[in-house]
């Protein structure tokens, strides 16, 4: 690799991915030289939007090594996964011109290993390491544990210089222990508030000073940080509301240093956004239009969000689960014995866990306990008061009667 490009490429990588220097340096050390045999598999884990996938793909592109990046959500069957990997290695892209067909039809592991070995012998230059990146790896484990175990040992099964990189939001302990093999593990920790502030400020729009945009992002985080630490969601919110934040400046009502006036203008809009956090029910333009209707003249806010969203579409029993989670989140712990009772769950326990996982993925519940507390997991309900009342009415449950503050 060209030394000048190497230095410039890594400098840009560190600049574009702040607070991930340790992870970059560790991966580079593990990869070694292109022709060196590296570890057979690496398991990378961390919460949503902590830079896992973007760092791995950017690093492999910077190193200019042969690699394949597969999203396990898109490849929902074994044959789709096999064919996607083989197509990428063959530089083949399904399109209208080729009838969206793959180079090979491959529906079993033996054929995949044979074709994979053959391709690597043709494509890999002088025994270069080929990297296979499997994003959302937990989906593959859920569908086919045997295939998951085989991919962990892809280097051993093919005899080729290949490294499989698994990326997941789950810790390794959540995966089945029947694989008989543990990959090298790497954790991507959550960003702190200060780190989120610095990262969001990297997207300062042209025509505005960095100090002005930093003040705006700081105000945004003061409203949302406790409820949301998802970088993707915060970036979306920052882009969505920046024009409204700038409105008093562009209209001449305030200057860029008048933070108090700017905050008074944007605060009601952010309160509306906080009540609809994570819920994608309309486009950005529709969200802005709705927010303007909900903000009364003079800056007062009408937070009757249930007028615009009469109900959250969830199965009947999931609604009761949300109601229970809301009561547990906002009632004091001493009232649990009054409102909840223990009973025999039996076979329903697995169904309940599945529904909880679904609600977490929809951002209606959030996990509050530490990752290492596997036996005592705690969740918090993220649904607003107006929405939980709407859900309660849909199942004929008067939630007011069970809220401690109203008793």
């Amino acid at each position: 690799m060209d030394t000048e490009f190497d230095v410039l490429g890594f400098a840009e990588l560190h600049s574009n991915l702040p607070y991930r220097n340790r992870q970059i340096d560790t991966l580079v050390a593990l990869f070694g030289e292109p022709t060196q045999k590296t570890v057979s598999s690496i398991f990378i884990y961390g919460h949503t939007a902590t830079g896992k996938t973007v760092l791995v793909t950017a690093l492999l592109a910077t190193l200019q090594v042969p690699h394949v990046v597969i999203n396990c959500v898109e490849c929902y069957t074994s044959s789709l996964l096999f064919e996607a990997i083989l197509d990428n290695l063959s530089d083949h892209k399904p399109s209208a011109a080729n009838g969206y067909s793959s180079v090979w039809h491959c529906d079993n592991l033996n054929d995949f290993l044979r074709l994979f070995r053959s391709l690597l012998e043709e494509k890999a230059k002088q025994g270069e390491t080929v990297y296979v990146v499997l994003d959302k790896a937990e989906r593959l484990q859920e569908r086919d544990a045997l295939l998951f175990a085989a991919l962990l040992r892809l280097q051993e099964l093919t005899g080729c210089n290949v490294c499989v990189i698994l990326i997941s939001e789950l810790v390794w302990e959540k995966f089945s222990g029947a694989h008989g093999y543990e990959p090298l593990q790497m954790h991507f920790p959550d960003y702190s508030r200060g780190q989120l502030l610095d990262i969001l400020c990297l997207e300062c729009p042209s025509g505005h000073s960095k100090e002005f945009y930093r003040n705006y992002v700081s105000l945004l985080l003061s409203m949302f940080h406790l409820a949301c630490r998802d970088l993707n969601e915060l970036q979306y919110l920052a882009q969505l509301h920046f024009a409204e934040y700038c409105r008093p400046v562009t209209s001449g009502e305030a200057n860029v240093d008048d933070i108090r006036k700017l905050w008074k203008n944007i605060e009601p809009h952010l309160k509306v956004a906080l009540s609809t956090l994570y819920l994608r029910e309309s486009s950005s333009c529709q969200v802005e239009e709705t927010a303007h209707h909900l903000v009364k003249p003079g800056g007062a806010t009408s937070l009757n969000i249930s007028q615009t969203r009469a109900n959250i579409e969830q199965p009947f029993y999931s609604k009761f689960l949300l109601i229970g989670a809301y009561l547990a989140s906002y009632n004091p712990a001493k009232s649990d014995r009054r409102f909840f009772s223990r009973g025999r769950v039996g076979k329903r326990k697995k169904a309940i866990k599945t529904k909880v996982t679904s609600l977490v993925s929809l951002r209606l519940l959030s996990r509050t306990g530490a990752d290492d507390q596997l036996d005592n997991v705690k969740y918090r309900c993220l649904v607003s008061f107006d929405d939980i009342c709407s859900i309660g009415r849909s199942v004929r449950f008067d939630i007011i009667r069970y809220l401690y503050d109203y008793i």
Side-chain angles (χ1 to χ4, degrees), residues 327-340:
L327 293 175
S329 297
Y330 293 97
N331 282 343
K334 64 182 181 180
S335 67
D336 285 355
R337 292 174 66 91
R338 182 174 182 177
F339 297 125
F340 297 94

Side-chain angles (χ1 to χ4, degrees), residues 326-328 330-336 338-339 385 399-407:
Y326 187 91
L327 293 175
Y330 293 97
N331 282 343
K334 64 182 181 180
S335 67
D336 285 355
R338 182 174 182 177
F339 297 125
F385 175 73
I399 195 169
I400 300 294
R401 293 177 55 194
Y402 297 89
L403 284 171
Y404 193 82
D405 291 340
Y406 290 86
I407 297 176

Side-chain angles (χ1 to χ4, degrees), residues 175-355:
F175 289 76
S176 172
H179 305 311
Y181 176 82
E182 279 200 22
L184 190 147
Q185 299 176 39
M186 178 181 293
H187 180 230
F188 276 55
D190 291 346
Y191 294 113
S192 67
R193 177 171 174 170
Q195 291 172 344
L196 286 171
L197 177 62
D198 291 340
I199 295 170
L200 290 169
C201 288
L202 293 175
E203 299 184 353
C204 177
S206 58
H208 298 278
S209 69
K210 292 184 178 180
E211 183 181 358
F212 178 71
Y213 191 71
R214 190 176 183 86
N215 288 336
Y216 163 66
V217 173
S218 183
L219 292 175
L220 185 84
L221 285 176
S222 69
M223 178 74 76
F224 287 95
H225 186 252
L226 287 177
C228 172
R229 301 185 185 185
D230 184 332
L231 180 59
N232 292 331
E233 188 72 15
L234 291 171
Q235 287 174 329
Y236 169 79
L237 291 167
Q239 294 172 6
L240 181 62
H241 297 286
F242 185 61
E244 181 60 33
Y245 180 77
C246 296
R247 190 178 58 77
V249 177
T250 54
S251 64
E253 299 174 21
N255 57 53
V256 294
D257 298 322
D258 199 342
I259 298 177
R260 185 174 180 180
K261 279 188 177 180
L262 294 173
W263 168 248
K264 188 177 180 181
N265 172 67
I266 196 64
E267 181 184 17
H269 297 273
L270 296 183
K271 284 184 176 179
V272 173
L274 184 62
S275 298
T276 58
L277 190 63
Y278 292 119
L279 300 176
R280 291 286 185 271
E281 298 172 325
S282 52
S283 66
S284 299
C285 294
Q286 290 171 321
V287 169
E288 291 179 4
E289 184 179 353
T290 301
H292 282 291
H293 283 300
L294 292 172
V295 178
K296 296 178 179 178
T301 310
S302 173
L303 289 177
N304 188 14
I305 305 301
S306 56
Q307 291 179 354
T308 59
R309 182 175 65 256
N311 196 8
I312 295 178
E313 294 299 328
Q314 286 292 321
F316 183 79
Y317 290 108
S318 292
K319 291 182 179 181
F320 274 102
L321 195 57
L322 270 178
I323 290 170
Y326 187 91
L327 293 175
S329 297
Y330 293 97
N331 282 343
K334 64 182 181 180
S335 67
D336 285 355
R337 292 174 66 91
R338 182 174 182 177
F339 297 125
F340 297 94
S341 63
R342 288 185 176 272
R344 297 184 64 184
V345 179
K347 295 181 179 179
R348 291 178 294 172
K349 186 174 182 180
K350 184 176 181 180
I352 292 174
K353 285 185 176 180
T354 302
K355 292 183 184 299

Side-chain angles (χ1 to χ4, degrees), residues 38 44 65 73 83 106 138 155 187 195 288 300 322 328 330 352 381:
T38 185
I44 296 174
V65 293
V73 175
E83 291 169 7
C106 182
E138 64 273 7
Q155 186 181 102
H187 180 230
Q195 291 172 344
E288 291 179 4
L322 270 178
Y330 293 97
I352 292 174
C381 184

Side-chain angles (χ1 to χ4, degrees), residues 342-370:
R342 288 185 176 272
R344 297 184 64 184
V345 179
K347 295 181 179 179
R348 291 178 294 172
K349 186 174 182 180
K350 184 176 181 180
I352 292 174
K353 285 185 176 180
T354 302
K355 292 183 184 299
V356 168
T357 302
S358 175
L359 294 174
V360 170
S361 67
L362 292 171
R363 309 294 193 229
L364 299 176
L365 297 180
S366 69
R367 182 169 176 169
T368 59

Side-chain angles (χ1 to χ4, degrees), residues 119-186:
L119 276 173
L120 258 60
E121 290 173 355
E122 295 177 11
K123 298 288 182 180
K125 301 175 183 177
Q126 300 176 350
E128 276 187 313
T129 305
V130 174
Y131 296 88
V132 177
V133 181
L134 299 176
D135 196 12
K136 308 291 184 186
E138 64 273 7
R139 296 300 185 93
L140 178 59
Q141 155 71 11
E142 292 168 2
R143 288 197 309 266
D144 193 336
L146 291 176
L147 175 58
F148 184 85
L151 290 173
L152 282 175
R153 296 174 174 273
L154 190 60
Q155 186 181 102
E156 177 186 338
L157 294 174
T158 60
C160 298
N161 189 7
V162 57
C163 174
V164 176
I165 302 176
L166 306 161
I167 301 176
S168 176
E169 295 179 14
L170 304 180
V171 295
W172 178 251
E173 288 75 15
K174 290 288 185 180
F175 289 76
S176 172
H179 305 311
Y181 176 82
E182 279 200 22
L184 190 147
Q185 299 176 39
M186 178 181 293

Side-chain angles (χ1 to χ4, degrees), residues 23-184:
Q23 285 78 10
I24 293 173
D25 295 341
T26 301
L27 284 174
V28 170
L30 288 172
F31 292 168
E33 293 297 323
T35 56
Q36 289 180 340
K37 206 163 189 177
T38 185
V39 294
S40 60
S41 55
I42 302 172
F43 181 78
I44 296 174
Y45 67 99
H47 288 151
T48 304
T50 50
K52 303 181 296 296
T53 305
V54 68
L55 187 151
V56 171
T57 53
L59 177 59
L60 292 173
T62 301
L63 293 171
Q64 296 183 334
V65 293
H67 62 278
V68 176
V69 181
I70 302 294
N71 189 316
C72 294
V73 175
E74 298 173 358
C75 300
Y76 51 88
T77 65
S78 299
S79 59
L80 285 175
L81 177 67
F82 295 151
E83 291 169 7
I85 294 174
L86 296 172
D87 284 345
N88 275 270
L89 289 174
S90 306
D91 298 323
H92 171 79
K93 186 175 182 180
S95 62
N98 54 43
Y100 298 99
S101 61
S102 298
V103 179
W104 291 277
H105 175 69
C106 182
D107 57 5
N108 65 78
L109 182 61
N110 287 335
D111 286 346
F112 169 71
L113 295 175
R114 176 177 54 80
L115 292 169
F116 185 87
R117 187 185 303 111
S118 175
L119 276 173
L120 258 60
E121 290 173 355
E122 295 177 11
K123 298 288 182 180
K125 301 175 183 177
Q126 300 176 350
E128 276 187 313
T129 305
V130 174
Y131 296 88
V132 177
V133 181
L134 299 176
D135 196 12
K136 308 291 184 186
E138 64 273 7
R139 296 300 185 93
L140 178 59
Q141 155 71 11
E142 292 168 2
R143 288 197 309 266
D144 193 336
L146 291 176
L147 175 58
F148 184 85
L151 290 173
L152 282 175
R153 296 174 174 273
L154 190 60
Q155 186 181 102
E156 177 186 338
L157 294 174
T158 60
C160 298
N161 189 7
V162 57
C163 174
V164 176
I165 302 176
L166 306 161
I167 301 176
S168 176
E169 295 179 14
L170 304 180
V171 295
W172 178 251
E173 288 75 15
K174 290 288 185 180
F175 289 76
S176 172
H179 305 311
Y181 176 82
E182 279 200 22
L184 190 147

